[in-house]
Amino acid sequence: MSDTAKHEGRGGDGTRAVRAGLPEPVKHEPTLPGPVFAAHFHLPGKVTGPYAYGRDDNPTWTLLERAIGELEAPGRDDVETLVFASGMAATSSVLFSQLRAGDAVVLPSDGYQVLPLVRTQLEAYGIEVRTAPTGGDAQLEVLDGARLLWIESPANPGLDVCDIRRLVEAAHAQGTLVAVDNTLATPLGQRPLELGADFSVASGTKQLTGHGDVLLGYVTGRDAEAMAAVRRWRKIAGAISGPMEAWLAHRSIATLQLRVDRQNATALAVAKALKQRPEVSDLRYPGLPDDPSHKIASEQMRRYGCVVSFTLSTRARAERFLQALRLVEDATSFGGVRSTAERRRRWGGDAVPEGFIRMSVGAEDPEDLIADLLRALDESAE
C-alpha cells in the first residue's frame, strides 16, 4: 500500500471514498486513469513485473482492489483484495478454494437464495454442508469441527443479524476459518476484518457501485496463504471482471458515502412510516430501536443498510401494491440510487411468506418516496 493510501486510511468515510485507490498524481494525467483494455502485455525476456496476461491481472483492477481494500481495512497493509466478475464468483472463490472433500462448512439457512445451489455443488464434491439461521447466533450449534463458517449479516432478505465477534471467537478457537458476506452492510456499514473475520466477501453489484449497471464481486482477506488460494481459483475459473466494469465501479465508489448516508436515513424514515400501517406485518430494519437485531447491530455496525423488509397479507395484495408504486421499480437486487422492491417468493428460493416484500431504498426525496408507498398501500387494499 502506498504512503498516500496509508495516510488516507486515517481520514473520514467521505474523504476515503473519494480518494480510495487513486494513483500518485502525474502532471497532465487523469486523476483516475481510464480502463486498460488488454488481453496481453509486452513481455520480452524473463517474466517479471505485475502484468503479463489479462486473466491474471490488469492495472484497472489494481486500482479498484486498492480502493476496496482501503474501505474494508483502512490504514492496514496486511490485507489483499481481489475483484471478480460477480458476487457469486467471489463467493465461489472462497468456498471452492478453501474446502476439500471430507471438510465441513456451515452456511446460513436464511441467506442469499443461490446458496442452496452452492450447497448441492459442495455436497457433490464430498463436502459436508450444515445450515442454521443467522438470528440468535444459531450457527454456533453446528460449528463443531467445521473447516469454514460462512456468515451473512444482515441476512438477505430477512435482515437478521448475528454477533460476528462471538462467532469468530468460537470458530478460531477450533481452527475454523470465517468468511462474512458484507454485501448488504458495505464497508461503510461494517468491517468484518476488524471484527476478526478472515475474509470479507461482497457483491459489488449492489450498493458499493450503486447504479444497477455493473456486475462485480470482491474478496478481501488478511491471510496471505488463503488469499493465494483465492487468487489461484480466480485464474483457474477465469471469473474476472472486465476493465470497463472495474473502472465504472471505482468511479462509483467516490459517491459511496453520499449515497449510503442518504439511503440509510431514508430507509429508517420508510421503516418508521410503514410501522404505522396496520396491513404491514413482520417489518424488519436493523436501525429501528425495537427491531430484534438492533442491539447487536448497533454494537458492530456503523450504518444499518438500505434494505427494509415487510409482509402483506397475501400474494395478490403484495402484487397489487407493487403495481401501484410509481417511484419504486419492481426489480430484483438492491442498493441502487433508484428504489426497487419485489415479492421475494417469486424466485422460489427464500423461506418467506407469499406476501413478503424486500424493498431497497434509493436516493429519492424521503417525503416523495414515503408518500408513494402509503398511496400504493391505500390503492392496493381490497
Side-chain angles (χ1 to χ4, degrees), residues 237-262:
I240 60 172
S241 172
M244 189 65 190
E245 287 81 2
W247 183 85
L248 284 169
H250 197 169
R251 181 207 61 173
S252 298
I253 285 175
T255 61
L256 179 61
Q257 186 256 349
L258 298 173
R259 290 184 283 106
V260 164
D261 281 353
R262 172 61 174 258

Side-chain angles (χ1 to χ4, degrees), residues 274 277 279 310 312 317-328 368-382:
L274 291 174
R277 298 293 297 226
E279 66 267 57
F310 57 96
L312 298 177
R317 176 70 195 275
E319 290 177 345
R320 290 197 303 271
F321 166 72
L322 292 170
Q323 291 169 3
L325 292 167
R326 297 170 185 165
L327 297 180
V328 183
D368 295 338
L369 188 58
I370 291 170
D372 190 43
L373 291 166
L374 299 183
R375 179 196 51 76
L377 285 172
D378 291 337
E379 291 183 4
S380 61
E382 296 188 71

